[in-house]
Amino acid sequence: MRSNVSEHPVGRLSDAWRFAVGTGRFELALRRDYQDSLALLQREIGFRHIRGHGLFSDGVGVHRLYEYRGERHVRHNFTYLDQVVDAYLELGIRPFLELGFMPAGLASGEQTVFWWRGNVTPPRSHTEWADLVRATVGHLVDRYGLAEVRGWPIEVWNEPDLTDFWQDADTDAYHRLYEVTAHAVKEVDAALQVGGPALSPGAGDDWLPRFAEFVTDRSVPVDFVSRHAYTSGPAQHVPFGVHQTLAPAGRLLEQFASPRRQLAGTPLAELPVHVTEFNSSYRPDNPIHDTAFHAAYLAPVLAAGGDLVDSFAYWTFSDMFEEQGVPTTLFHGGFGLLTHRQIKKPTYHLYAFMSRLGDQVLARGADHLVTRDDSGRVTVLAWAPVDVTGRDPVDGHAVRLSLPVAPARTAFLLRSSVSEEAGNAWRPWCELGRPASPTARQLDLLREAAEPARRHASLPVVAGRVELDLHLTRHEVTLAEVTPVTDETPPWWDERRLLGGPA
């Protein structure tokens, strides 16, 4: 059955998917290959903010202890911080600052997370922690200007509801940290944006209401609320990786919607909601991220997520992502890998497709999104349904639409697709024997295989409409761009004469 798309917009497409993207630990941005990868991302997609862990961890070296005349002193050192932020701004992306983890010289304990040992204990001195926050934020204001830094959200810690990320998942201790931090930020400038609590998907329904009650009762500043969203089950470990079950992608949208539901009727009900991490799996060593399945799985989330939250940040953009150690394979956790010559993944292409949609929404469906831009170009993002159990994969799917176009005799169709066979470097990497250190020739092959399939056609326009039939293969995501044609063919042109034949 063909769906008739109205010529009248039903809304505008939110760019909440583009507001922010995740990254690995902060100091990875000092690497040239990382910066090259981010430059590619910004050139082809263009995110506004970037968020990662470890701003205050020892690898960045902001909090430096020293002894002078027998007394303990602290020096705040911004050498690496400045280099990273300078690089971000040069590439047209701004920080979404996450304040954590605890510097070793300020930590109250030795509990750490990840191989690079991010300390997750409260500060031994909240006064010294407040000094660190004020000094850092104040330095950023001095260096980049108040008007600039007012546009950078500042998030307090990461997933304090999990014992892995906050000692004992102590709610009261986090509330105290948040209070001290928020006041320290506002002492630099009252218009700076501070928020939290960056909860994990496993946080109980009481965590956010208790946070709202705390900040309300004590008049603690809060400008936005944040949480994370994932759909993966327990990790099934294999050497240097994991496999996990997945819930249907709609579960991500349910998690996006939960903060507004939990905060209804509270003073925080109307605050912006940022999902500062989302993905299928939180594990960088789960190969599901590298597959065509993953792009089709996330397509409905990107198409609808902006109706529920102010932003949702993919975790993470790059395979330079070392939570579980230095990567041991070509593919590892992000949706692009420039260290191996710009090999892109299907999920990268999904985001690139999103960046080419128009802002006027003409129609939404369970398997498609139709938009139009001011030039009259109509764009269709369509995706094949996926089976998260893997037992009954969908091998063929059709999307049939009747699209309104501006007056013309014909329209030009450009269709770009990723699937199991196209735009999917994972498949040929497997067929090449999964080389751990591909040769230059193998890398060239993989880079070429990673490009989407593209095709084009001329479509007739009848009564101001184009009939578009999209036949999708297994795990395919496709972008169809339909542009009305102004025919400028000269009257003497005759295709039959191309090889010197008679008129």
Side-chain angles (χ1 to χ4, degrees):
M1 181 178 177
R2 191 178 303 280
S3 177
N4 200 60
V5 176
S6 170
E7 64 178 314
H8 302 292
V10 296
R12 300 193 76 81
L13 181 63
S14 165
D15 65 350
W17 61 272
R18 201 203 296 262
F19 183 86
V21 70
T23 178
R25 73 184 193 278
F26 195 81
E27 68 266 32
L28 286 175
L30 296 170
R31 289 170 46 167
R32 178 178 175 178
D33 52 357
Y34 176 105
Q35 293 179 20
D36 288 346
S37 185
L38 186 57
L40 173 72
L41 186 82
Q42 288 302 96
R43 187 165 61 249
E44 297 192 352
I45 299 174
F47 290 95
R48 298 210 295 276
H49 294 275
I50 188 165
R51 171 192 176 273
H53 302 321
L55 171 61
F56 286 150
S57 292
D58 291 343
V60 183
V62 174
H63 184 271
R64 300 294 297 275
L65 290 182
Y66 68 97
E67 186 176 302
Y68 181 67
R69 292 182 175 176
E71 294 185 1
R72 176 185 182 275
H73 296 273
V74 175
R75 179 175 182 175
H76 298 123
N77 169 49
F78 304 114
T79 303
Y80 281 1
L81 173 65
D82 291 348
Q83 289 182 41
V84 171
V85 176
D86 287 353
Y88 284 162
L89 296 181
E90 287 173 7
L91 294 171
I93 194 166
R94 293 170 166 81
F96 193 125
L97 295 170
E98 176 202 306
L99 301 185
F101 294 116
M102 196 60 59
L106 182 53
S108 60
E110 297 182 355
Q111 181 183 340
T112 62
V113 67
F114 307 139
W115 74 276
W116 46 271
R117 299 182 62 80
N119 190 289
V120 296
T121 66
R124 67 170 67 181
S125 165
H126 285 84
T127 299
E128 190 173 314
W129 169 264
D131 291 341
L132 172 62
V133 172
R134 273 191 300 269
T136 302
V137 176
H139 169 79
L140 293 172
V141 168
D142 291 342
R143 184 175 177 87
Y144 302 105
L146 183 56
E148 173 67 38
V149 181
R150 279 177 173 174
W152 304 356
I154 302 173
E155 186 179 43
V156 182
W157 212 256
N158 176 76
E159 298 187 352
D161 58 293
L162 296 182
T163 56
D164 284 349
F165 287 103
W166 183 241
Q167 184 174 276
D168 301 325
D170 188 326
T171 307
D172 292 337
Y174 174 74
H175 287 170
R176 186 182 181 195
L177 182 82
Y178 181 86
E179 181 176 26
V180 169
T181 307
H183 284 303
V185 170
K186 295 294 187 177
E187 286 171 20
V188 177
D189 180 75
L192 294 172
Q193 304 173 52
V194 65
L199 298 177
S200 79
D205 281 353
D206 62 332
W207 241 97
L208 200 50
R210 288 172 63 191
F211 175 76
E213 181 180 10
F214 174 81
V215 296
T216 301
D217 289 349
R218 295 182 61 85
S219 299
V220 180
V222 57
D223 298 300
F224 64 88
V225 295
S226 60
R227 69 154 295 159
H228 300 163
Y230 294 100
T231 48
S232 51
Q236 304 168 21
H237 291 272
V238 295
F240 303 105
V242 298
H243 300 291
Q244 294 165 286
T245 59
L246 292 181
R251 194 72 56 82
L252 284 169
L253 297 175
E254 293 174 8
Q255 293 177 50
F256 287 10
S258 66
R260 298 202 190 281
R261 172 180 56 80
Q262 294 171 359
L263 294 173
T266 75
L268 276 56
E270 301 303 318
L271 289 182
V273 174
H274 295 297
V275 177
T276 50
E277 294 179 21
F278 94 96
N279 206 326
S280 56
S281 169
Y282 54 88
R283 295 276 305 209
D285 51 355
N286 185 332
I288 196 66
H289 302 115
D290 310 318
T291 63
F293 167 94
H294 201 248
Y297 177 81
L298 290 184
V301 179
L302 267 66
D307 296 336
L308 302 172
V309 291
D310 295 87
S311 77
F312 50 108
Y314 185 85
W315 188 256
T316 65
F317 89 87
S318 172
D319 282 34
M320 284 160 270
F321 179 26
E322 300 178 353
E323 288 187 351
Q324 304 301 323
V326 175
T328 59
T329 64
L330 179 66
F331 297 91
H332 192 79
F335 60 42
L337 185 62
L338 191 113
T339 45
H340 293 85
R341 300 192 185 181
Q342 300 185 5
I343 297 173
K344 305 167 190 174
K345 301 178 185 177
T347 306
Y348 180 100
H349 294 306
L350 167 63
Y351 271 83
F353 292 169
M354 288 290 297
S355 70
R356 287 155 59 185
L357 294 176
D359 61 353
Q360 305 168 31
V361 177
L362 300 182
R364 295 179 184 272
D367 54 6
H368 68 274
L369 173 66
V370 184
T371 69
R372 183 175 60 200
D373 63 20
D374 291 338
S375 73
R377 181 181 61 107
V378 176
T379 45
V380 179
L381 181 71
W383 54 89
V386 300
D387 172 34
V388 296
T389 70
R391 292 190 294 267
D392 189 23
V394 179
D395 287 325
H397 184 73
V399 177
R400 296 185 172 89
L401 302 169
S402 175
L403 304 174
V405 297
R409 293 181 60 187
T410 63
F412 176 74
L413 168 67
L414 177 63
R415 180 175 173 185
S416 306
S417 298
V418 294
S419 64
E420 290 295 331
E421 300 299 330
N424 180 12
W426 170 261
R427 193 73 171 270
W429 180 68
C430 295
E431 292 165 352
L432 285 167
R434 295 179 172 84
S437 298
T439 65
R441 175 56 180 158
Q442 288 173 325
L443 289 170
D444 287 341
L445 291 172
L446 294 172
R447 188 181 68 251
E448 292 174 12
E451 286 302 306
R454 294 185 174 92
R455 68 200 82 171
H456 52 84
S458 177
L459 302 178
V461 178
V462 179
R465 305 192 77 81
V466 161
E467 309 298 289
L468 181 67
D469 290 346
L470 300 174
H471 298 279
L472 307 179
T473 61
R474 183 181 179 190
H475 300 155
E476 182 174 347
V477 177
T478 195
L479 175 72
E481 303 173 74
V482 179
T483 306
V485 171
T486 300
D487 194 346
E488 299 182 19
T489 305
W492 60 84
W493 180 257
D494 187 338
E495 194 79 18
R496 293 169 295 179
R497 302 188 65 183
L498 189 62
L499 297 177

